[in-house]
Amino acid sequence: PVLIEMKDVHKQFGNGTVALRGMSLQIRKGEFVSFLGPSGCGKSTALKMVAGLLSVSSGSISVNGHPAGQGSDGNDIGYVFQEATLMPWATVFENVYLPLKLHGLRRSEARPRVEEALAMVGLANFANSYPRELSGGMKMRVSIARAMVTRPKLLLMDEPFAALDEMTRSKLNDEVLDLWRSHGLTVIFVTHSVFESVYLSSRVVVMAARPGRVVHDIALSDGHQRT
Ligand code: ADP
Ligand code: ADP
């Protein structure tokens, strides 16, 4: 079944910059897709539009049969930004609780969900720590827990590990693969690393600034594909 469909999507920003000129793409449930391409080719823009964080100028995007951003429930999408973007004044627990709080869940109702999400990333014992006490990799794990706490089916990651050292990045890549496998997720992973895209995904979607759309769409047959 098709989860995401982009049809001839164009995006021009208010200042006149054209980021996408006719991007079309279908993503099936359970795929791990990477968007690969040089800086400025529109990867982030495409991802934000799938999440409904940016509108399209023309064309259409549907997610699970609904126009992007108008799905049954925003809870269905988890989004991980490039920087960990944690609230420095709040504990790990409070940071991960935030999306549930915004949906009106009380702390007591949310606690088991927050604990489950922290356990998923190996940080069950760090609920009361503050972001400044954590390593870069651990902060990124907290932001993955925050994205997973609403139990999304779709996880969107925008160059999440670009700022981390190579060892940490490699560990986190394996952890993301485990999450994908164990939770039946669909993942879109934005990167400009050829290595990362090939290592992680079952399908590499290559984009270029000119023409501002998909230039190659490569299915990999190395066994990462969920069955
Ligand atoms: P990538 O993620 O591939 O690096 P982006 O999607 O961030 O590329 O950007 C695509 C193009 O759109 C770039 O030229 C960028 O400068 C421009 N752009 C991105 N966001 C904005 C914005 N809010 N306003 C104007 N131009 C933008
Ligand atoms: P990074 O992923 O940023 O490289 P590491 O996972 O290598 O971080 O851990 C850096 C330090 O933080 C380690 O020396 C370890 O003591 C501590 N640490 C990281 N994750 C955990 C964890 N889940 N439980 C306990 N300590 C941890």
Side-chain angles (χ1 to χ4, degrees), residues 13-15 17-19 37-46 48 158-159 190:
F13 287 102
N15 67 359
T17 305
V18 177
S39 188
C41 72
K43 305 181 297 293
S44 262
T45 300
K48 286 184 185 129
D158 189 359
E159 300 201 38
V190 165

Side-chain angles (χ1 to χ4, degrees), residues 69-70 79 119 155 194-195:
Q70 299 170 35
Y79 201 101
L155 182 61
V194 174
F195 171 82

Side-chain angles (χ1 to χ4, degrees), residues 32 80-84 136-137 139-141 143-144 155 157-166 168-177 179 189-191 196 200:
F32 194 129
V80 178
F81 295 89
Q82 184 160 347
E83 307 294 329
K139 277 189 266 214
M140 185 46 73
R141 289 182 185 99
S143 86
I144 294 171
L155 182 61
M157 308 186 85
D158 189 359
E159 300 201 38
F161 310 145
L164 301 174
D165 65 84
E166 215 174 318
T168 304
R169 190 170 175 166
S170 148
K171 278 190 280 178
L172 281 157
N173 280 339
D174 286 333
E175 292 172 22
V176 167
L177 279 176
L179 269 186
F189 191 101
V190 165
T191 180
E196 206 166 52
L200 286 170

